[in-house]
Amino acid sequence: AQRVTQPEKLLSVFKGAPVELKCNYSYSGSPELFWYVQYSRQRLQLLLRHISRESIKGFTADLNKGETSFHLKKPFAQEEDSAMYYCALTYGGSQGNLIFGKGTKLSVKP
Amino acid sequence: IAGITQAPTSQILAAGRRMTLRCTQDMRHNAMYWYRQDLGLGLRLIHYSNTAGTTGKGEVPDGYSVSRANTDDFPLTLASAVPSQTSVYFCASSAEQNTGELFFGEGSRLTVL
């Protein structure tokens, strides 16, 4: 079955440090990968998607099909980046449904 | 701009009672979804609807039912609530299926005692 794995439940870094939130997926075809973010007391929202290859709020993510990974990176973490981050996958047979990972809580300390 | 509106925001419910969580969107999106969010388990899809008049089962549909009488509304019903259904429920919509871009509501926190 298709699966999204986020190995870290909690990631704690200091402000200004680089951050990498890991995401691995299991799917043999060509998936579409996404990162969603949920800030405290806010709605879950789309952060970025791999097909757009964009940088949002300083975050980037590259799809590595060889390693089946889609890690989220930011060179210098900010306190306002503290949030819950979910990696998600959709594919042709999923009828458009997103499969979410279990999430990683990022805490950026001052 | 409302987007997705869920009600109630929070509810405490006795086991065995019937409960309907309401979800309304004003974006004229075709696809709508219900997820539950549990600590350590992330977001799991309960039911979905790709267009008005159609529904489908997600990963954890047991104990839940949905209807999609029109484009805007997608209520989720727990016919006889059980404590394991204590969770935060999120409704979401997307303009079309397969886009992966979902717009979420603020969530409904349900506690079943």
Side-chain angles (χ1 to χ4, degrees):
Chain A
Q2 288 67 35
R3 189 170 60 247
V4 176
T5 302
Q6 294 180 249
E8 304 138 328
K9 288 185 178 179
L10 174 65
L11 183 63
S12 185
V13 301
F14 285 101
K15 176 183 175 181
V19 62
E20 180 179 67
L21 290 88
K22 290 183 168 51
C23 172
N24 289 89
Y25 65 91
S26 60
Y27 179 62
S28 58
S30 296
E32 290 192 40
L33 275 296
F34 306 83
W35 277 99
Y36 277 77
V37 60
Q38 187 176 28
Y39 301 103
S40 179
R41 287 185 285 278
Q42 292 189 28
R43 304 176 187 222
L44 193 64
Q45 58 187 288
L46 178 65
L47 180 62
L48 54 80
R49 66 186 80 190
H50 88 271
I51 59 173
S52 59
R53 302 185 65 81
E54 58 195 343
S55 173
I56 302 294
K57 298 184 179 181
F59 285 98
T60 58
D62 291 319
L63 178 61
N64 186 323
K65 291 188 177 181
E67 296 182 356
T68 60
S69 69
F70 188 56
H71 303 326
L72 184 67
K73 301 177 183 179
K74 186 170 183 177
F76 308 103
Q78 303 299 315
E79 290 181 69
E80 55 265 29
D81 295 328
S82 295
M84 194 74 180
Y85 291 80
Y86 291 96
C87 184
L89 168 154
T90 187
Y91 60 99
S94 70
Q95 300 189 54
N97 298 328
L98 275 177
I99 300 170
F100 284 88
K102 294 182 179 181
T104 297
K105 184 174 183 179
L106 175 65
S107 175
V108 181
K109 299 178 179 179
Chain B
I1 299 176
I4 296 247
T5 303
Q6 291 185 235
T9 303
S10 180
Q11 181 76 44
I12 298 174
L13 188 67
R17 297 297 295 269
R18 181 184 180 89
M19 178 72 192
T20 295
L21 303 180
R22 300 184 297 279
C23 176
T24 299
Q25 54 112 349
D26 62 2
M27 298 175 283
R28 306 302 294 173
H29 283 172
N30 283 322
M32 296 187 75
Y33 312 85
W34 274 105
Y35 286 89
R36 58 178 289 175
Q37 183 185 45
D38 300 289
L39 194 64
L41 296 177
L43 286 152
R44 293 179 293 169
L45 182 66
I46 305 170
H47 284 287
Y48 65 93
S49 169
N50 289 327
T51 190
T54 68
T55 63
K57 294 182 179 180
E59 180 185 357
V60 289
D62 293 343
Y64 306 94
S65 64
V66 292
S67 62
R68 188 88 184 275
N70 57 61
T71 297
D72 298 342
D73 301 300
F74 191 45
L76 177 73
T77 297
L78 290 67
S80 179
V82 295
S84 62
Q85 292 177 311
T86 294
S87 186
V88 181
Y89 291 86
F90 287 96
C91 182
S93 71
S94 63
E96 300 293 338
Q97 62 181 106
N98 296 324
T99 66
E101 182 172 5
L102 269 57
F103 294 84
F104 282 85
E106 293 184 324
S108 295
R109 182 176 295 276
L110 182 66
T111 302
V112 183
L113 301 177

